[in-house]
């Protein structure tokens, strides 16, 4: 139940702006801050409460800005600090909150600190801000441990002087040593810099990564059984009635207990400012319990809950996601969050089978999600029903593609279509070549085309978000109806939500349909791949 004194973020709908693909004001093919500012009225009319903007700081862009070379400035390709100020003021005038991305796990290799570390000798204070180590084996030619980069290949790169440095992502993203007091001190200044400029919060990148096991020991081979003491502990835990997941990996690089002191100190900084400033953790932890630790009352306000995004199109899977997500945050009193897509995963209509069916399912899942308590996070373009794009290999830019040869994440990052019948579809001025090519068949998906069509995905999102404002803020806890196998059904106060994940039309419970994710059957049945809200 939300009340007028609740913080703004409690039941807010956030819209993720992937800055380089949202709107390009100057025709260089990259979206930018002035482009976003000019489109803020679109977001207000869509009906979201807040925007989260992916990194726009100076960066060599080896990982689309998640490789920051200066945390307190704007990359000229995205604009200037003055543009950031204008953006904040315009958003606030429109009643929108603004959350910016913070990347504390690693810097760019072009950050002044890393450049100084490269110029300084082994053992120097400059190197001590990162994780430099000597290698193993003859001449130290083997990496210090067996960790792999998230983007594929070893997590270590060797310098010509023989030392190795750790990068859990690309070689151009060296990991910081958070045990060095200079590191937390620097980020406290960064937080204050942006808070002073008026941002309403931070999305914390790789929030579970900052601390690594002190010894930097090897990761255990996951195919081998865990050591005897760990097995014993697990058995005792299970005997005590705990629901320990069966396949916990050994993760000496993630989710170390020390990280929580950082979020406690950030909580205190956020609290020094008015306006309920907030932080949301991107923390890929292994259990609901470990995720909940990031949102204890004195830590961050929210953590992304990726369980729905990982679930298949299935009523029972969705019901399980809802139950376990609510149960995870309840003990710490935090609000749940929900998300179906972001810039790192395949767009959900494509995950749900693609084509018309995929888009219909995507809309249905969205409608179910928007009825749940807490915050929902939308990813730009989902309101247009965009699907994953098969970006031709010669255009791909994701470092994961270069390191693994797997397609990577470019397919969900293609610049948005705003209007017109061919590329750049109003993404930039006429003649702009977008940084990733847009498909030839996007004309019917532009914002302008969908605005004219009451049955479009865009109009569906606007209707659903309007209805959410009216109905959901005042609603009660979730009551799942558990006797239906292929149908997800739950009640929340005056609202009944039904989502048909099965192959056949189903009867609707009593009530008046207030929003539907797609056309209803003329016999009043709920067709497959469709959801409704009833009151
Ligand atoms: C998570 C971000 O969402 C992703 O895009 C990025 O590549 C990694 N963190 C590394 O910063
Ligand atoms: Mg531009």
């Amino acid at each position: 139940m939300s009340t007028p004194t609740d913080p703004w973020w409690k039941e807010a709908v956030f819209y993720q702006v992937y800055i380089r693909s949202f709107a390009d004001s100057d025709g260089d093919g990259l979206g930018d801050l002035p482009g976003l500012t000019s489109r803020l009225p679109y977001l207000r009319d869509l009906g979201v409460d807040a925007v989260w903007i992916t990194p726009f700081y100076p960066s060599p862009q080896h990982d689309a800005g998640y490789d920051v070379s200066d945390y307190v400035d704007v990359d000229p390709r995205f604009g200037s600090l003055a543009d950031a100020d204008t953006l904040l003021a315009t958003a606030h005038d429109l009643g929108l909150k603004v959350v910016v991305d913070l990347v504390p796990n690693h810097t760019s290799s072009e950050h002044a600190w890393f450049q100084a570390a490269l110029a300084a000798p082994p053992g120097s204070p400059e190197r001590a801000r990162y994780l430099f180590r000597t290698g193993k084996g003859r001449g130290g030619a083997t990496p210090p441990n067996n960790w792999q980069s998230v983007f594929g290949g070893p997590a270590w790169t060797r310098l010509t002087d023989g030392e190795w440095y750790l990068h859990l992502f690309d070689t151009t993203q060296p990991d910081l040593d958070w045990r060095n007091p200079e590191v937390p001190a620097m980020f406290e200044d960064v937080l204050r810099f942006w808070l002073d400029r008026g941002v309403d919060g931070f999305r914390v990148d790789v929030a579970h990564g900052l601390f690594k096991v002190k010894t930097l020991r090897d990761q255990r081979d996951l195919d081998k059984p865990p050591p005897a003491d760990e097995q014993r502990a697990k058995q005792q835990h299970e005997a005590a009635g705990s629901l320990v997941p069966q396949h916990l990996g050994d993760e000496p690089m993630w989710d170390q207990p020390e990280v929580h002191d950082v979020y406690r100190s950030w909580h205190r900084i956020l609290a020094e400012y008015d306006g309920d400033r907030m932080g949301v953790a991107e923390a890929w932890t292994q259990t609901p319990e470990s995720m909940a630790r990031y949102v204890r009352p004195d830590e961050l306000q929210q953590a992304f809950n990726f369980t729905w995004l990982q679930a298949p199109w299935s009523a029972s899977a969705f019901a399980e996601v809802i139950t376990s997500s609510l149960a995870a945050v309840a003990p710490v009193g935090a609000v749940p969050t929900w998300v179906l897509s972001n810039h790192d995963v395949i767009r959900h209509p494509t995950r749900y089978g693609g084509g018309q069916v995929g888009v219909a399912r995507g809309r249905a899942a969205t409608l179910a999600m928007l009825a749940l308590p807490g915050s929902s996070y939308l990813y730009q373009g989902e309101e247009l029903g965009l699907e994953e794009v098969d970006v031709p290999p010669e255009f791909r830019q994701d470092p994961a593609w270069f390191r693994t040869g797997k397609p990577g994440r470019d397919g969900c990052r293609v610049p948005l279509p705003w209007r017109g019948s061919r590329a750049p579809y109003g993404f930039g001025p006429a003649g702009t070549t977008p940084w990733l090519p847009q498909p030839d068949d996007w004309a019917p998906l532009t914002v302008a085309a969908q605005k004219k069509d009451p049955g479009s995905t865009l109009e569906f999102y606007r209707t659903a978000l309007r209805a959410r404002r009216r109905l959901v803020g005042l609603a009660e806890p979730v009551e799942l109806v558990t006797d239906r196998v292929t149908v997800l059904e739950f009640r929340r106060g005056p609202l009944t939500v039904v989502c048909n994940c099965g192959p056949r039309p189903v009867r609707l419970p009593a009530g008046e349909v207030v929003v539907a994710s797609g056309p209803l059957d003329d016999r009043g049945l709920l067709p497959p791949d469709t959801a409704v809200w009833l009151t």
Side-chain angles (χ1 to χ4, degrees), residues 42 46 383-384 447 450-451 456-462:
Y42 165 77
L46 180 62
E383 80 279 20
L384 305 177
V447 171
Q450 296 202 34
K451 267 192 181 161
S456 69
T457 302
L458 178 58
E459 288 309 304
F460 158 69
Y461 267 74
R462 291 175 52 169

Side-chain angles (χ1 to χ4, degrees), residues 24-32 77:
D24 176 16
S25 69
D26 59 359
D28 68 348
L30 281 185
D32 43 50
R77 281 167 284 196

